[in-house]
Amino acid sequence: ALYMRLHIMFRSDEIIWKSSEGSCLRVLIVKIGAVGDTVMALSMLDALDQQWPGAHITWLCGETVAPLVQAAERVNEVVVLNDRKLFKGSIGSVFSILVPLWLKFLGKNYDLILTGHSDPRYLLLSLTASGNQRRSFGKDRGGPITGRYHGDEYVRLVTGNDGPLAP
């Protein structure tokens, strides 16, 4: 339980969530995706703000969607990788992306790591990042529910609660 590791600090009228180490709650979002999927995944930001105001959000994305993620004011840090090389490159080019990424995340601690993909290979991207809690669309949570608005599914990934049915 993530909730048990949090402390609330009051500063003026604002509630700032702190991790047990005393720093702002840190969240890593792994969503490389296509533009449409990334637009729907942006719904995670509002859900994160509602649950953990003031959390520091890092988003790992591909070059294709980087401008979109960088335009989201709520994202504090954007880590960009070459998604074309990652998905269509040789094994050497894939490792030329993974190794620097793993080194970047080595020793980084996150309170919550969200992987917005159901393919378990995406979990490799944050392999060296430490996380108190990891959530993804995998066997344990199920993938996005067919027929549902994917934005609601991303909120479900953040909150663990079921959102409304898509019309």
Side-chain angles (χ1 to χ4, degrees):
L2 184 60
Y3 294 106
M4 298 173 74
R5 298 177 190 213
L6 300 177
H7 305 283
I8 300 176
M9 287 188 57
F10 293 93
R11 186 170 55 189
S12 329
D13 295 351
E14 192 174 296
I15 297 175
I16 305 295
W17 290 91
K18 300 283 185 174
S19 68
S20 56
E21 293 82 33
S23 58
C24 280
L25 187 85
R26 297 179 53 82
V27 178
L28 172 62
I29 297 173
V30 179
K31 180 64 185 161
I32 307 305
V35 174
D37 284 343
T38 302
V39 167
M40 290 183 281
L42 289 172
S43 62
M44 288 191 285
L45 299 176
D46 286 339
L48 287 166
D49 265 349
Q50 287 175 11
Q51 287 207 304
W52 302 291
H56 183 276
I57 299 172
T58 301
W59 191 307
L60 172 61
C61 67
E63 290 174 345
T64 306
V65 297
L68 178 62
V69 175
Q70 290 164 338
E73 293 179 6
R74 190 55 196 90
V75 178
N76 301 100
E77 179 184 3
V78 180
V79 178
V80 181
L81 57 78
N82 185 328
D83 47 344
R84 289 181 189 94
K85 268 188 175 180
L86 182 66
F87 297 123
K88 297 184 180 179
S90 66
I91 190 74
S93 66
V94 169
F95 275 102
S96 74
I97 293 184
L98 288 178
V99 171
L101 184 64
W102 288 339
L103 291 173
K104 178 169 184 54
F105 286 137
L106 188 64
K108 295 264 179 120
N109 296 313
Y110 295 93
D111 297 286
L112 178 61
I113 299 175
L114 300 167
T115 304
H117 300 276
S118 57
D119 186 331
R121 292 177 291 183
Y122 285 93
L123 299 174
L124 290 174
L125 298 173
S126 63
L127 182 68
T128 59
S130 297
N132 292 339
Q133 187 174 15
R134 290 177 180 263
R135 297 181 191 164
S136 66
F137 292 127
K139 289 182 180 179
D140 58 332
R141 297 192 71 79
I145 297 172
T146 306
R148 300 258 317 251
Y149 173 60
H150 282 173
D152 290 342
E153 293 300 287
Y154 288 111
V155 169
R156 182 172 65 101
L157 187 62
V158 170
T159 65
N161 297 325
D162 222 0
L165 291 173

